[in-house]
Amino acid sequence: MKAFFENVRRHFGLAAGIGFSLLAIQIIAIALAPYIAPYSPIDADPLSSLQPPSVAHWFGTDVSGMDILSRVIYATRINLLISVSSVIAAFIVGVPVGLLIGYYRNIFSNLIMRVFDFIQSFPVFVLGMALVSVLGQEVWNVAIVLGVLFIPMFARLIRAEVLSLRERPFISAARCSGASDLSIMFRHILPNALTPVIVQVSISIGMAILLTAGLSFIGAGVRMPTPEWGLMVGNGAQQMILGVWWVALFPGLAIVFSVLCFALLGDFAQAVTDPNAETIS
């Protein structure tokens, strides 16, 4: 444990500091949204429509008169809820599946791999749009769809690691000592195969944020008046030609900084878990 914390300290540079700072800001926005948001995120005020940034409305208002700052703050909950829950669900399902199909090479494993090939043969965005259209444009339906799309990614990562580990001498020694298949898989192989998957979790959260925003941008994600970054950008894009820049700019920046946060945290996780990695600065 001491060596682990020493490794964390050695690789903790400027990039990791920025990543954790952005993560802290998002956690604060999620936990304290009712206290720091100046207005309700869903109450429209037609008399305040499309007001530019001012003292009363720091980020301005949209076409319905809703305060953009309040909606950006509350949207952090929606976007992170969808992204984190979908990735966690994909991790919980994909890791055991990948472990089993990597350890047992049979017809059943081949069948599952062909199913994954079928899912991944479609463009992720197009398949996500189709599934959300079938299930309905609700927050949890979007999370379920993204989870389904990410399962093959985690399963393939674990399978690749298992295939390289299952013939190692320490696994053969465990078999000779009488260890069962379950014991070998979960006590000997899985702990050594999780490193790339842990890194992928952070990267996948950023990908899920982009997919969620993209689906909402084209009208296939969550619906109004739910505060969601991509939906806000989509609504604001219609007024950009009129010089109303603030409606789309601020939720767009929220997407950029959130994705940057998880990309930096993913690099930091890789540096900490990879003994050959150089310090990220």
Side-chain angles (χ1 to χ4, degrees):
M1 184 62 69
K2 182 179 179 180
F4 172 77
F5 285 110
E6 176 62 25
N7 197 31
V8 170
R9 186 198 64 79
R10 184 167 63 89
H11 289 96
F12 194 92
L14 176 62
I18 294 173
F20 279 105
S21 298
L22 293 174
L23 179 62
I25 292 173
Q26 293 179 88
I27 292 174
I28 291 172
I30 292 171
L32 303 179
Y35 306 101
I36 61 179
Y39 300 93
S40 168
I42 58 174
D43 287 346
D45 182 9
L47 298 179
S48 302
S49 176
L50 297 179
Q51 290 189 2
S54 62
V55 176
H57 300 279
W58 288 8
F59 288 0
T61 61
D62 62 12
V63 68
S64 300
M66 292 185 283
D67 182 68
I68 295 174
L69 173 59
S70 300
R71 287 179 62 79
V72 168
I73 292 173
Y74 272 91
T76 308
R77 287 182 169 184
I78 301 299
N79 285 81
L80 269 295
L81 172 65
I82 293 174
S83 305
V84 174
S85 60
S86 63
V87 172
I88 290 177
F91 179 91
I92 292 174
V93 176
V95 168
V97 171
L99 183 62
L100 289 172
I101 64 178
Y103 189 82
Y104 295 109
R105 292 180 290 185
N106 49 36
I107 296 177
F108 183 69
S109 300
N110 291 332
L111 178 61
I112 293 178
M113 288 301 299
R114 299 296 77 78
V115 172
F116 289 161
D117 290 339
F118 177 77
I119 293 174
Q120 294 185 306
S121 65
F122 291 93
V124 174
F125 193 77
V126 175
L127 182 58
M129 183 172 58
L131 292 176
V132 171
S133 299
V134 172
L135 295 177
Q137 294 175 254
E138 302 295 337
V139 171
W140 286 112
N141 287 341
V142 177
I144 291 170
V145 168
L146 294 183
V148 171
L149 295 178
F150 284 129
I151 286 174
M153 182 187 306
F154 287 104
R156 284 183 178 277
L157 275 174
I158 284 291
R159 178 179 179 272
E161 292 296 312
V162 172
L163 290 175
S164 66
L165 290 170
R166 67 191 305 274
E167 304 300 335
R168 296 284 181 89
F170 71 96
I171 300 299
S172 300
R175 289 196 187 98
C176 293
S177 66
S180 64
D181 286 347
L182 285 177
S183 176
I184 292 173
M185 285 190 290
F186 288 97
R187 292 185 58 187
H188 300 283
I189 294 180
L190 184 59
N192 292 285
L194 279 178
T195 297
V197 182
I198 293 173
V199 175
Q200 186 63 40
V201 165
S202 181
I203 298 172
S204 295
I205 292 175
M207 293 172 58
I209 291 171
L210 288 175
L211 285 171
T212 302
L215 290 171
S216 298
F217 179 84
I218 64 173
V222 298
R223 296 175 292 184
M224 287 289 289
T226 304
E228 196 280 326
W229 293 331
L231 183 61
M232 296 169 67
V233 172
N235 292 335
Q238 302 172 14
Q239 285 87 38
M240 288 288 285
I241 193 172
L242 303 176
V244 183
W245 50 268
W246 57 88
V247 179
L249 174 64
F250 294 111
L253 290 176
I255 295 172
V256 170
F257 288 125
S258 185
V259 174
L260 175 64
C261 163
F262 290 103
L264 294 176
L265 293 180
D267 289 340
F268 176 67
Q270 183 175 18
V272 170
T273 55
D274 185 359
N276 299 317
E278 297 181 356
T279 302
I280 300 174
S281 59

